[in-house]
């Protein structure tokens, strides 16, 4: 397919990069990879697969890196994948995309999250395919959020599916430890912003460190009360899902749980 270019940011993904790039065969006619400092064979393997690789500095900002990768794409549509993801296609994927793209500016694709054994741990829908250089950009230094034009036409699509293999215990521990350090600096910079507290709670939970989780959730609830509305509808839904997961994972302070669910529901109403 001539219309889609891949944009990926990677670092030390030699065990995954070939599978990721090969999964786009027949779908992406352009492979753009931004490498942020690999010390393994990632760059060589990507180039052998025909990817256009740009090696750039890591500036401690995931969205800044993501936006640099978007600038590399020249095709009309941009597909976003990470190094530990693969694109799953069917015999009808190309035709489905052609039919759907005529009436949309971005496509929301289902992502399945798998562990080491291939067990599906969960899934979510995310905008991963959108028109190139038409106002789509990422924001957020730690967890990048896609900001789309207000008039963008969004279509939920089953033409493709993404499988994410980043939920092995070793990868979770590595990612969470790295991001917790970034989150602490973000809290210092923006002590009244709710999102850093939310992300800290998520990563503490992933690392099994729940001793002070109620304190973090309490700070999150306090700060978000003063900062509604939330930045996007996607964030509100994400928070509501996470609140449910927190409830099912450990004993969360009941008053915090009730307030958190209430906040998320009200925020969802802000973005119908």
């Amino acid at each position: 397919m001539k219309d889609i270019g891949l944009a990926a940011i990677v670092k030390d993904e030699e065990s995954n990069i070939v599978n990721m790039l090969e999964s786009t065969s027949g779908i992406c006619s352009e492979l753009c990879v931004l490498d942020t400092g690999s010390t393994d064979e990632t760059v060589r393997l990507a180039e052998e697969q025909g990817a256009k690789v740009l090696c750039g500095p890591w500036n401690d900002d995931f969205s800044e890196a993501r936006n640099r990768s978007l600038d590399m794409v020249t095709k009309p549509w941009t597909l976003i994948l990470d190094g530990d993801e693969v694109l799953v296609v069917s015999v009808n994927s190309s035709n489905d995309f052609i039919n759907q793209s005529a009436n949309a500016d971005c496509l929301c694709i289902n992502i399945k999250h798998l562990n080491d054994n291939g067990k599906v741990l969960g899934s979510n829908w995310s905008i991963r395919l959108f028109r190139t250089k038409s106002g789509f950009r990422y924001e957020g230094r730690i967890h990048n959020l896609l900001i789309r034009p207000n008039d963008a036409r969004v279509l939920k699509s089953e033409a493709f599916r993404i499988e994410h293999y980043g939920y092995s215990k070793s990868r979770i521990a590595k990612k969470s430890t790295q991001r917790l350090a970034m989150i602490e600096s973000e809290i210092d910079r923006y002590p009244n912003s709710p999102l850093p507290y939310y992300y800290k709670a998520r990563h503490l939970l992933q690392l099994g460190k729940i001793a002070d989780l109620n304190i973090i959730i309490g700070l999150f609830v306090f700060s978000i009360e003063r900062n509604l509305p939330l930045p996007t509808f996607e964030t509100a839904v994400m928070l509501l899902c996470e609140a449910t997961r927190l409830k099912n994972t450990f004993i969360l302070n009941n008053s915090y749980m009730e307030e958190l669910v209430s906040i998320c529901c009200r925020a969802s109403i802000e973005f119908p």
Side-chain angles (χ1 to χ4, degrees):
M1 192 179 299
K2 297 180 180 181
D3 287 345
I4 302 178
L6 170 71
I9 57 174
V10 299
K11 181 181 179 181
D12 293 334
E13 291 284 1
E14 64 179 5
S15 61
N16 299 308
I17 189 74
V18 173
N19 288 337
M20 185 269 282
L21 294 174
E22 286 184 344
S23 73
T24 67
S25 177
I27 298 298
C28 295
S29 57
E30 180 181 47
L31 305 175
C32 300
V33 174
L34 176 69
D35 186 274
T36 59
S38 292
T39 57
D40 60 8
E41 297 298 312
T42 298
V43 172
R44 178 182 64 81
L45 292 171
E47 290 177 338
E48 288 179 353
Q49 292 295 314
K52 176 172 59 177
V53 180
L54 174 65
C55 296
W58 170 243
N59 296 321
D60 222 25
D61 188 323
F62 283 97
S63 287
E64 187 265 347
R66 184 74 73 190
N67 289 332
R68 274 190 284 155
S69 75
L70 298 187
D71 294 338
M72 297 171 66
V73 178
T74 64
K75 300 301 178 180
W77 284 78
T78 297
L79 171 70
I80 302 296
L81 285 180
D82 285 332
D84 55 3
E85 296 176 335
V86 295
L87 184 69
V88 180
V89 301
S90 69
V91 293
N92 297 319
S93 290
S94 295
N95 288 335
D96 288 344
F97 168 73
I98 291 171
N99 293 333
Q100 294 171 352
S101 62
N103 300 307
D105 299 304
C106 52
L107 299 184
C108 201
I109 300 174
N110 187 245
I111 305 174
K112 295 189 180 297
H113 306 282
L114 298 88
N115 65 9
D116 291 333
N117 300 318
K119 178 183 178 181
V120 177
L121 302 177
S123 65
N124 66 283
W125 291 84
S126 177
I127 296 174
R128 290 295 196 93
L129 190 57
F130 46 83
R131 294 186 185 274
T132 302
K133 295 180 176 61
S134 56
F136 292 87
R137 303 298 281 181
Y138 285 89
E139 292 183 2
R141 190 171 69 91
I142 303 169
H143 294 81
N144 41 203
L145 299 172
L146 180 64
I147 307 301
R148 63 177 187 263
N150 292 332
D151 59 349
R153 298 168 298 170
V154 184
L155 185 64
K156 191 174 182 179
S157 174
E158 296 184 359
F160 310 105
R161 188 177 79 246
I162 293 173
E163 291 183 349
H164 175 217
Y165 292 89
Y167 277 80
S168 67
K169 290 183 178 179
S170 60
R171 290 184 71 93
I172 287 177
K174 182 179 179 181
K175 285 183 178 180
S176 293
T177 301
Q178 174 196 20
R179 294 191 180 190
L180 274 174
M182 297 175 66
I183 290 169
E184 290 292 353
S185 67
E186 201 76 353
I187 289 175
D188 289 340
R189 293 172 62 190
Y190 307 105
N192 293 322
S193 174
L195 285 181
Y197 295 112
Y198 162 69
Y199 288 130
K200 183 173 182 177
R202 279 184 61 187
H203 289 295
L204 286 173
L205 183 61
Q206 288 175 343
L207 291 170
K209 299 179 179 180
I210 63 173
D212 59 347
L213 200 50
N214 272 297
I215 296 175
I216 297 301
I217 293 296
L219 289 170
F220 168 79
V221 169
F222 174 72
S223 60
I224 204 171
E225 276 288 350
R226 298 187 299 170
N227 284 277
L228 282 176
L230 290 170
T232 63
F233 170 73
E234 286 87 352
T235 302
V237 172
M238 179 176 65
L239 293 170
L240 185 57
C241 291
E242 195 69 20
T244 303
R245 190 160 74 92
L246 287 171
K247 181 181 178 182
N248 294 332
T249 305
F250 72 103
I251 300 175
L252 183 68
N253 181 296
N254 285 335
S255 62
Y256 290 161
M257 182 64 202
E258 293 171 3
E259 184 65 16
L260 186 55
V261 172
S262 174
I263 288 170
C264 295
C265 290
R266 295 203 308 273
S268 297
I269 294 173
E270 293 283 336
F271 301 93

